[in-house]
Amino acid sequence: MSTEDTVRDDAAEALPYGMPYLRETRYDPPAGVMDLQSKPLRPIRYYPDEQEGWLVTGHAEARKVLADPRFSTAERFTRSPTELPHVFVSISEQVPPGFFLFFDPPEHTRLRRKVTGVFTVKRMKDLEPRIEAIVDEAIANLRAAGPGADLVKEFALPVPSLVICEMLGVPYADRDAFQANSANMLDLSLSVEDRNKAMAEIFGYLMQLVPAKRAEPGDDMLSALAADEDLHEVEAAGIALILLVAGHETTANMLALGTFALLEHPAQLARLRHDPALMPAAVEELLRYLTVAHNGIMRIAKEDAEIDGQLVKAGQHVTVVLQAANRDPRKYERPAELDLGRDAQGHMAFGHGVHQCVGQQLARVEMRIGFAKLIEAFPELRLAVPSEEIPMRSDMAVYGVHTLPVNW
């Protein structure tokens, strides 16, 4: 064996195997991930076959990859950065029609365009009074449940679930089934088969609603999708599937985890109570600091692509670790600190590029109203159990807390 071969073999052996994902603390990314940020775009070995792929932990590098059309979501994802199969692996095994997250332009553009007009800043402004009423109702239910009530069950989950149900035209009475299936779809501890069974059940449920919406349309998004002659029924259901799952999972977990973080950072909470005008900046900082899409988002190189002098080969998997990118010291000073007065603009909690979250403006409005009304209604809000007893969603594709018992 030549000296060159020996060097190449030694380099291959030195590649990190996978991405560390077990946290040492509730709010910080795994220390092992942050250690890898010394080289913000680096090769790693992927599960299950140790094939070489890439890990992106830097903010600037993440933006480059996510904005580059050479990196695709329409390919079949067969490898994961951890031993738990990534949610991109499970969904890409049987992508529902219309599920535009897993399509590249121009098909992605055609499908996403059907809903972008609904989520404009102006439309969300018009929706604020209804969101305020929904939040008020949830706060009343939380208060009625009494001290020790679970903030997730009574407040964080109902608010975005009811909002997206009303926007879509999905009966809120059916929430138990689709919330359970949504949770299973994103549960990394379940097999790929069980996750996809849950996704298929939500898709089948929505497929039953589409013909009814065509027959008797209402003033809702699913009726509009069903009436669109450019869409097949299955595409309408697939678009609705993205909106229904993403429309409540991310915001519900941000409301609960954000409340937990505020209670654990009393100086920051006091600052927000003293100056409610901080709320828009506080929401952006909580999004940056917590980054609930904690397992990263994946791409596959469609062709050889050079990024910052490194060659990503066609077919290689790439994982962009958003939680690390949002803690990049080259972008943010003191990135490990929660600072509600920080200018957190440019964070990537909603992703970046053509696939960034279509409903991000809705999520922002729900969080601004939700946090503001919650801390106003409960001046003495506090945890009902020791913080170390709060069960964290470490095994889920969307991070958060499973329950959050509170007193006031």
Side-chain angles (χ1 to χ4, degrees):
M1 180 181 291
S2 69
T3 303
E4 181 181 349
D5 288 335
T6 302
V7 170
R8 187 182 298 117
D9 287 345
D10 289 344
E13 290 175 6
L15 289 184
Y17 192 6
M19 174 186 78
Y21 70 96
L22 295 177
R23 296 170 179 251
E24 295 80 16
T25 69
R26 298 177 197 81
Y27 308 114
D28 298 322
V33 166
M34 300 312 295
D35 289 343
L36 295 178
Q37 202 174 53
S38 60
K39 189 174 182 181
L41 172 67
R42 67 165 66 227
I44 65 168
R45 292 176 292 157
Y46 273 69
Y47 293 87
D49 56 5
E50 301 192 33
Q51 286 296 306
E52 183 176 320
W54 294 82
L55 194 72
V56 185
T57 55
H59 188 276
E61 294 78 10
R63 288 177 65 90
K64 288 178 183 178
V65 169
L66 295 178
D68 194 326
R70 295 174 296 179
F71 295 97
S72 171
T73 64
E75 305 291 323
R76 171 76 184 279
F77 292 86
T78 58
R79 302 184 179 98
S80 295
T82 71
E83 66 265 30
L84 300 176
H86 197 280
V87 68
F88 273 57
V89 172
S90 53
I91 294 176
S92 74
E93 188 173 89
Q94 52 178 52
V95 179
F99 201 87
F100 54 80
L101 175 60
F102 284 80
F103 290 85
D104 290 336
E107 186 68 358
H108 167 269
T109 309
R110 178 183 76 88
L111 295 166
R112 182 182 169 111
R113 189 178 290 145
K114 303 297 181 182
V115 296
T116 49
V118 178
F119 292 102
T120 63
V121 173
K122 182 182 184 304
R123 287 285 188 93
M124 295 304 100
K125 185 71 175 177
D126 294 340
L127 197 60
E128 283 185 11
R130 178 57 186 149
I131 296 176
E132 289 174 349
I134 288 171
V135 169
D136 286 340
E137 181 181 351
I139 286 175
N141 290 338
L142 178 62
R143 193 183 300 278
D150 178 12
L151 185 133
V152 174
K153 177 184 176 183
E154 304 295 344
F155 178 78
L157 187 55
V159 168
S161 295
L162 182 52
V163 171
I164 197 62
C165 280
E166 290 189 356
M167 291 182 69
L168 276 173
V170 170
Y172 186 60
D174 297 337
R175 64 189 179 279
D176 288 346
F178 72 69
Q179 286 173 353
N181 280 318
S182 176
N184 287 339
M185 180 178 163
L186 301 176
D187 188 340
L188 301 180
S189 70
L190 296 181
S191 68
V192 168
E193 292 74 20
D194 285 344
R195 290 187 229 164
N196 283 337
K197 180 182 177 182
M199 181 171 66
E201 289 190 14
I202 306 176
F203 182 72
Y205 164 72
L206 293 168
M207 274 297 298
Q208 293 176 350
L209 294 181
V210 172
K213 293 291 184 179
R214 278 188 168 163
E216 296 184 25
D219 184 18
D220 56 67
M221 293 175 65
L222 191 52
S223 293
L225 293 170
D228 192 322
E229 295 182 355
D230 182 48
L231 291 175
H232 192 280
E233 285 187 357
V234 293
E235 291 180 319
I239 293 173
L241 174 60
I242 291 182
L243 300 179
L244 183 61
V245 173
H248 78 272
E249 279 285 348
T250 303
T251 307
N253 284 292
M254 273 302 305
L255 284 171
L257 185 63
T259 300
F260 188 22
L262 289 172
L263 294 176
E264 291 276 270
H265 294 80
Q268 293 298 315
L269 177 55
R271 185 180 182 187
L272 188 57
R273 289 188 188 278
H274 177 72
D275 185 6
L278 273 179
M279 185 57 73
V283 166
E284 300 304 319
E285 171 66 351
L286 285 166
L287 284 163
R288 180 202 70 85
Y289 181 72
L290 298 173
T291 312
V292 294
H294 67 139
N295 284 105
I297 52 181
M298 295 183 70
R299 299 290 186 265
I300 292 178
K302 294 191 289 186
E303 60 187 78
D304 287 359
E306 184 176 314
I307 301 290
D308 290 348
Q310 300 199 72
L311 180 63
V312 180
K313 296 179 181 178
Q316 287 188 318
H317 287 52
V318 181
T319 300
V320 178
V321 191
L322 299 178
Q323 60 173 338
N326 281 340
R327 297 287 189 97
D328 189 339
R330 298 174 302 165
K331 172 66 177 176
Y332 300 104
E333 292 184 9
R334 300 171 286 102
E337 294 182 18
L338 177 65
D339 177 3
L340 298 188
R342 181 198 305 274
D343 179 4
Q345 295 296 321
H347 70 75
M348 287 184 287
F350 293 116
H352 181 66
V354 298
H355 289 288
Q356 65 182 293
C357 175
V358 70
Q360 60 184 281
Q361 299 305 336
L362 173 62
R364 286 184 167 101
V365 171
E366 290 172 325
M367 282 184 270
R368 289 171 189 165
I369 294 173
F371 287 131
K373 285 185 171 288
L374 182 69
I375 65 175
E376 180 183 19
F378 299 102
E380 302 297 325
L381 189 68
R382 59 191 183 278
L383 296 177
V385 299
S387 60
E388 58 269 18
E389 294 182 13
I390 301 297
M392 309 304 295
R393 289 170 52 103
S394 302
D395 54 349
M396 306 293 285
V398 180
Y399 189 60
V401 296
H402 286 290
T403 61
L404 190 69
V406 291
N407 286 329
W408 51 86

